[in-house]
């Protein structure tokens, strides 16, 4: 009766008792890469035998999360639909005396040495004498994890069980059940744990959130995939490993179980942010604008128009996931201008969700403290002088010349001159440049109300002459 393992087949077997977290997603990814590398099947099995703790909302979260990451399965099973199959094998174990019923169903532990060759950890030995008989089902219709997993891995012809190291202590129990039923054992590969920066098991304490939360926070699936792939695996192996950027295609090509490390993998959120910034810069401006729009709407910076009639004006209950098109904004931001704004931030953004905070100065009236206008040790008088100078120069520039390039050309020499030490000749001491900040800092603050922003010339081009002068005047007013 033992079915031969003909093909390479792997699975991810999440229990819907919580949302899809990074550990399960990484396990799913490694299984997926392994299957696709060998042109074979990756199976999703929802392990919902724990009826009290399983919840369909988590099942949806897991499915949505995997789909969003692009980890698509070839077959889908749900354990709660397979009760008859488990019953058949339970009866077999009861009839052969390997199991007995005493309220619940127990497996009779033969108390022996169990050995298996783990593809990552090497030879693993357990003495099953160290634990007692163990439960395998509540009753014939309600199997428990260690039993159901053995039956399913066999029935689904799973060739390799690739899963988290936290399951290693379950493996001897599963092997004992396989032996009692005369089933072939799959190959095992237990992945290293994911650890927080303090080297303890990654948890919510470390800010770990569900995969869908990463999506809502403005991470891209490409970034998470690349990041997760390197949690315990590296293309080269060994210390000379400097390649970090991989597309899914490249990962499929490069992936191998041999290059998975034994030691825990450290989760570093800054690294994830770095990957995300990288992938944000790879996006086309159209795509990035489309992705930023819901966040700008959520921040109240632009207004949506829904595609569907079902969302009436006022858009109560609006969620960033819904469909919309951008019609207009408080400030009549046409999409061309919106794209320009976003392109300025594309270089700096680490998360799509930052777009509101980064760009709100384009959309809102500014409010900032006058002290922000001060560059280094500038006096009040010097700040006023700089602002007056800016007003004079900018008001003389024709509206059509309000381009970043022209503004830079005009303002840079002025900034250079404004920054010369008092009494020094026109071009400063030999080899020294003037402190341009004296003119450019108040300009940046007047236009943005912020200490850090993209180039003030680029910002001025988008704001246009009228608004630029309005903002300079406001700065003059509060600087007094
Ligand atoms: N259902 C188990 C879990 O969610 C996985 C079992 C396995 O991979 O063998 O952790």
């Amino acid at each position: 009766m033992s079915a031969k393992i003909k093909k390479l087949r792997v699975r991810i077997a999440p229990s819907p008792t919580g949302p899809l977290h990074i550990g399960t997603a990484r396990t799913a990814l490694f299984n997926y890469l392994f299957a696709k590398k060998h042109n074979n099947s990756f199976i999703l099995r929802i392990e919902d035998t724990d009826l009290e703790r399983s919840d369909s909302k988590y099942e949806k979260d897991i499915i949505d999360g995997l789909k969003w990451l692009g980890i698509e399965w070839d077959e889908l099973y749900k354990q709660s639909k397979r009760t008859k199959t488990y019953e058949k094998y339970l009866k077999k174990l009861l009839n052969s005396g390997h199991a007995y019923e005493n309220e619940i169903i127990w497996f009779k532990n033969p108390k022996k040495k169990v050995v298996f060759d783990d593809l990552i950890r090497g030879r693993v030995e357990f003495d099953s004498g160290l634990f007692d008989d163990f439960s395998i089902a509540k009753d014939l219709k309600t199997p428990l994890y260690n039993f159901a997993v053995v039956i399913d891995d066999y029935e689904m012809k799973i060739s390799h069980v690739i899963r988290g190291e936290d399951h290693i202590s379950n493996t001897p129990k599963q092997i004992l059940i396989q032996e009692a039923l005369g089933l072939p054992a799959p190959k095992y590969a237990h992945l290293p744990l994911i650890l927080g920066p303090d080297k303890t098991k990654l948890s919510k304490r470390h800010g770990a959130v569900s995969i869908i939360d990463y999506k809502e926070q403005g991470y891209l699936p490409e970034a998470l995939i690349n990041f997760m792939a390197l949690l315990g695996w590296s293309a080269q192996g060994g210390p000379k490993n400097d390649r970090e950027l991989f597309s899914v295609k490249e990962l499929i090509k490069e992936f191998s179980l041999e290059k998975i490390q034994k030691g825990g993998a450290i989760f570093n959120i800054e690294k994830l942010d770095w990957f995300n910034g990288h992938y944000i810069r790879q996006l086309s401006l159209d795509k990035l604008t489309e992705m930023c729009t819901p966040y700008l709407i959520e921040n109240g910076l632009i207004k949506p128009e829904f595609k569907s009639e079902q969302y009436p004006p006022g858009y109560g209950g609006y969620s960033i996931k819904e469909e919309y098109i951008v019609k207009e904004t408080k400030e009549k931001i046409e999409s061309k201008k919106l794209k320009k704004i976003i392109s300025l931030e594309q270089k700096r953004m680490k998360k799509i969700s930052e777009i509101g905070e980064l760009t709100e100065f384009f959309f809102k009236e500014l409010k900032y403290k006058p002290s922000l206008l001060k560059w280094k040790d500038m006096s009040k008088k010097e700040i006023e002088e700089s602002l007056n100078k800016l007003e004079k120069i900018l008001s003389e520039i024709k509206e059509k010349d309000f381009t970043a390039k022209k503004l830079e050309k005009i303002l840079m020499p002025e900034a250079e001159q404004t920054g010369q030490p008092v009494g020094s000749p026109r071009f400063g001491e030999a080899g020294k440049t003037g402190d341009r900040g004296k003119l450019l800092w108040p300009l940046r603050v007047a236009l943005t109300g912020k200490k850090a922003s993209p180039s003030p010339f680029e910002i001025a081009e988008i704001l246009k002459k009228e608004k630029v002068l309005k903002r300079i005047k406001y700065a003059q007013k509060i600087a007094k």
Side-chain angles (χ1 to χ4, degrees):
M1 64 160 281
S2 73
K4 283 235 169 71
I5 296 163
K6 289 204 188 87
K7 285 207 279 180
L8 187 151
R9 281 166 67 86
V10 292
R11 83 314 193 264
I12 182 71
S15 306
T17 52
L20 179 67
H21 54 74
I22 200 111
T24 307
R26 194 246 343 221
T27 304
L29 175 65
F30 283 19
N31 275 284
Y32 173 83
L33 296 175
F34 187 58
K36 296 303 136 191
K37 184 182 176 88
H38 298 282
N39 256 323
N40 262 303
S41 302
F42 167 64
I43 287 152
L44 170 60
R45 185 169 76 222
I46 302 289
E47 301 211 322
D48 56 350
T49 48
D50 186 341
L51 297 174
E52 274 145 40
R53 291 176 58 230
S54 295
D55 192 321
S56 58
K57 78 168 185 241
Y58 294 131
E59 187 179 322
K60 183 176 179 317
D61 182 276
I62 291 165
I63 286 184
D64 288 351
L66 290 173
K67 276 193 179 157
W68 177 68
L69 288 168
I71 303 178
E72 298 272 353
W73 48 93
D74 303 296
E75 295 164 35
L76 170 66
Y77 300 94
K78 226 172 131 162
Q79 283 190 329
S80 58
K81 299 241 164 86
R82 300 171 48 76
T83 325
K84 280 213 173 85
T85 307
Y86 308 123
E87 189 174 347
K88 186 176 91 189
Y89 287 96
L90 277 172
K91 281 184 179 156
K92 244 186 204 169
L93 285 176
L94 286 167
N95 289 340
S96 64
H98 287 98
Y100 60 94
E101 208 165 353
N102 173 14
E103 268 168 57
I104 61 170
I105 303 177
W106 299 86
F107 184 79
K108 208 185 273 169
N109 182 352
K111 309 226 168 174
K112 55 182 272 205
K113 208 157 104 179
V114 181
V115 182
F116 64 96
D117 289 313
D118 190 277
L119 294 172
I120 295 164
R121 321 195 66 78
R123 179 149 287 219
V124 181
E125 288 189 15
F126 276 97
D127 179 1
S128 87
L130 295 177
F131 52 88
D132 287 327
D133 292 353
F134 52 91
S135 52
I136 52 173
K138 285 190 182 161
D139 54 52
L140 283 175
K141 304 238 176 298
T142 323
L144 294 171
Y145 163 67
N146 275 315
F147 170 73
V149 98
V150 165
I151 303 310
D152 281 345
D153 285 342
Y154 169 70
E155 287 271 328
M156 293 169 196
K157 301 186 172 57
I158 300 300
S159 61
H160 294 69
V161 169
I162 305 169
R163 62 184 173 191
E165 191 189 282
D166 45 333
H167 281 292
I168 206 159
S169 60
N170 289 321
T171 310
K173 292 181 182 166
Q174 294 171 12
I175 290 175
L176 289 174
I177 299 171
Q178 284 157 8
E179 286 179 357
L181 287 166
L183 308 179
K187 292 194 167 69
Y188 288 100
H190 286 93
L191 304 175
L193 290 180
I194 303 178
L195 307 175
D198 61 356
K199 310 253 165 82
T200 62
K201 196 178 169 200
L202 187 72
S203 69
K204 284 200 185 117
R205 240 173 348 104
H206 300 105
V209 292
S210 82
I211 293 297
I212 291 298
D213 287 335
Y214 285 106
K215 178 185 178 200
E216 302 276 316
Q217 283 180 23
Y219 287 99
L220 304 182
E222 297 89 326
L224 263 164
I225 291 280
N226 198 151
F227 172 73
M228 290 193 300
L230 300 184
L231 288 175
W233 173 86
S234 60
Q236 283 85 355
K240 270 196 177 169
N241 168 35
D242 43 21
R243 177 161 180 208
E244 294 191 300
L245 292 166
F246 294 91
S247 66
V248 177
K249 245 188 172 170
E250 290 165 334
L251 285 170
I252 291 171
K253 187 163 165 266
E254 299 288 336
F255 188 78
S256 78
L257 291 178
E258 289 83 53
K259 286 172 188 161
I260 294 176
Q261 71 194 40
K262 284 198 192 82
I266 310 278
F267 176 94
N268 176 349
I269 193 89
E270 281 96 45
K271 192 84 210 179
L272 174 58
D273 286 353
W274 179 84
F275 278 119
N276 210 47
H278 169 80
Y279 286 103
I280 285 176
R281 281 181 275 293
Q282 310 294 307
L283 293 174
S284 70
L285 191 52
D286 279 348
K287 179 78 189 159
L288 180 61
T289 306
E290 188 193 313
M291 293 183 85
C292 287
T293 303
Y295 293 94
L296 293 170
I297 294 170
E298 210 171 58
N299 282 269
L301 301 175
I302 59 175
K303 280 186 190 167
E305 180 191 289
F306 292 103
K307 267 182 189 167
S308 146
E309 287 297 306
Q310 69 196 92
Y311 300 103
Y315 53 96
Y318 165 71
S319 135
I320 60 163
K321 287 173 215 130
E322 309 297 352
E323 279 192 290
Y324 56 84
I325 51 170
V326 181
K327 189 184 173 198
E328 57 164 6
T329 75
K330 250 190 213 154
E331 311 224 343
K332 301 261 185 298
I333 300 287
E334 337 77 63
S335 78
K336 215 172 118 196
K337 188 164 160 189
L338 188 60
K339 277 191 200 166
K340 261 192 185 172
I341 291 173
I342 288 170
S343 82
L344 282 191
E345 299 294 348
Q346 187 166 18
K347 300 176 207 98
R348 309 183 334 130
M349 266 163 80
K350 292 207 183 87
K351 287 184 246 177
I352 308 276
S353 55
E354 291 168 349
I355 193 69
E357 208 190 315
L358 287 171
T359 63
E360 62 178 4
F361 66 85
F362 280 108
F363 306 94
K364 281 184 167 174
E365 296 292 320
L366 300 188
K367 245 193 196 158
Y368 54 93
K369 287 195 187 128
S371 58
L372 204 61
L373 290 161
K374 177 176 165 159
W375 171 248
K376 291 186 180 167
D377 55 359
M378 269 173 108
S379 67
K380 206 167 160 248
K381 191 168 156 265
E382 282 178 300
I383 297 172
E384 280 182 51
E385 279 169 9
S386 285
L387 290 169
N388 292 344
K389 195 173 204 174
L390 286 167
E391 194 209 349
K392 184 171 180 298
I393 301 166
L394 291 166
S395 58
E396 281 166 10
I397 300 173
K398 285 192 194 102
E399 207 169 324
K400 74 166 177 43
D401 289 338
F402 246 71
T403 63
K405 259 196 187 147
K406 287 210 170 143
L407 291 169
E408 182 170 359
K409 209 168 152 202
I410 297 166
L411 286 169
M412 278 310 244
E414 294 292 342
E416 189 79 29
Q417 199 201 0
T418 312
Q420 293 304 320
V422 182
S424 71
R426 174 74 173 79
F427 293 104
E429 297 155 43
K432 275 204 178 171
T433 53
D435 186 354
R436 296 166 184 164
K438 282 193 171 173
L439 193 73
L440 298 186
W441 180 268
L443 174 64
R444 177 192 300 278
V445 174
L447 298 188
T448 66
K450 283 170 176 262
K451 284 185 189 164
S453 72
S455 136
F457 311 120
E458 309 238 34
I459 292 167
E461 176 181 325
I462 294 173
L463 290 173
K464 297 204 175 117
K465 184 170 178 177
E466 193 190 327
K467 187 160 274 176
V468 166
L469 286 175
K470 213 173 129 198
R471 289 190 176 188
I472 300 281
K473 281 192 182 125
Y474 174 74
Q476 286 173 309
K477 198 177 98 189
I478 65 167
K480 274 191 184 135

